[in-house]
Amino acid sequence: MATSSESKLQLVHRHVRAFPDFPKKGILFRDICPILKDPAALTAVTDLFEEHVRKNHPQVDLIVGLDARGFLFGPLLAQRLGVGFVLVRKMGKLPGSTVSVAYDLEYGKAEVEVQEDGVAPGQKVLLIDDLLATGGTLYAACELMKKQQADILGCMVVIELKELNGIDKLKPHQVFSLLQY
């Protein structure tokens, strides 16, 4: 099993491209588009997340995906696990009654929201996104889940940018990352 997981991680790693100075000078952008383009790489990501959840969180009720790339991996994982999927979106993008949380950006503020009936009190949730950088959006999504009185089991990302220390902002929540740069 370990060999299989290791070969899947290597496959995923080979499908992440680096673009220097994007979107601005000094940033090394990690591009996941090649993962999405390759069925084997996308299956490997889903397999690795599924293995982690089945081993560590067998009682999960919902996968909660962050706008927008969490929507790419979350529904695939939720379907595999036989659980529901809930969207956390940027403010103003969801119909009906919503609950929101504001958070700070590098320059300004933003807000994320979830449909009011999306998560019931006590439901066990795992949050998923493509990337953990500074942790601001994932932290806001955790605060949103707390507001809904959900039981947060942890967070999952494809890529963690370790030098930005986003994981510190998410404590005490566990963060599972497939790749770390």
Side-chain angles (χ1 to χ4, degrees):
M1 184 66 136
T3 304
S4 176
S5 293
E6 188 57 39
S7 64
K8 289 174 185 176
L9 273 174
Q10 289 171 6
L11 176 63
V12 173
H13 178 73
R14 286 194 310 270
H15 283 80
V16 175
R17 291 187 296 195
F19 286 97
D21 298 323
F22 182 83
K24 62 183 183 180
K25 190 163 182 58
I27 303 290
L28 180 61
F29 186 84
R30 302 291 179 170
D31 180 23
I32 62 158
C33 290
I35 293 172
L36 301 172
K37 187 177 172 183
D38 184 277
L42 184 55
T43 298
V45 168
T46 309
D47 288 349
L48 290 163
F49 279 140
E50 180 185 11
E51 290 167 19
H52 170 76
V53 174
R54 290 197 187 281
K55 180 180 176 187
N56 298 287
H57 307 291
Q59 301 302 316
V60 65
D61 296 315
L62 292 171
I63 301 296
V64 176
L66 277 64
D67 197 342
R69 293 187 184 117
F71 301 170
L72 302 173
F73 302 105
L76 297 172
L77 177 61
Q79 185 179 43
R80 285 266 191 97
L81 297 170
V83 301
F85 177 77
V86 173
L87 295 84
V88 169
R89 299 238 30 211
K90 295 174 181 103
M91 190 67 177
K93 301 290 185 183
L94 289 172
S97 297
T98 61
V99 177
S100 67
V101 169
Y103 65 103
D104 292 324
L105 295 171
E106 191 174 348
Y107 300 103
K109 291 192 178 290
E111 231 173 313
V112 291
E113 65 182 351
V114 66
Q115 288 178 320
E116 193 172 36
D117 62 354
V119 180
Q123 281 193 298
K124 294 173 177 18
V125 301
L126 282 167
L127 292 89
I128 191 167
D129 204 0
D130 68 323
L131 181 79
L132 173 59
T134 63
T137 308
L138 206 44
Y139 175 80
C142 286
E143 291 300 301
L144 192 54
M145 291 300 104
K146 285 182 195 173
K147 204 171 184 181
Q148 291 295 94
Q149 300 174 30
D151 180 4
I152 302 167
L153 301 178
C155 303
M156 301 179 297
V157 294
V158 178
I159 297 170
E160 177 188 351
L161 302 178
K162 291 195 63 80
E163 68 184 29
L164 298 178
N165 298 315
I167 199 165
D168 293 341
K169 189 172 226 164
L170 297 172
K171 289 178 181 174
H173 303 297
Q174 295 178 358
V175 177
F176 173 72
S177 54
L178 298 183
L179 303 171
Q180 298 176 339
Y181 293 98

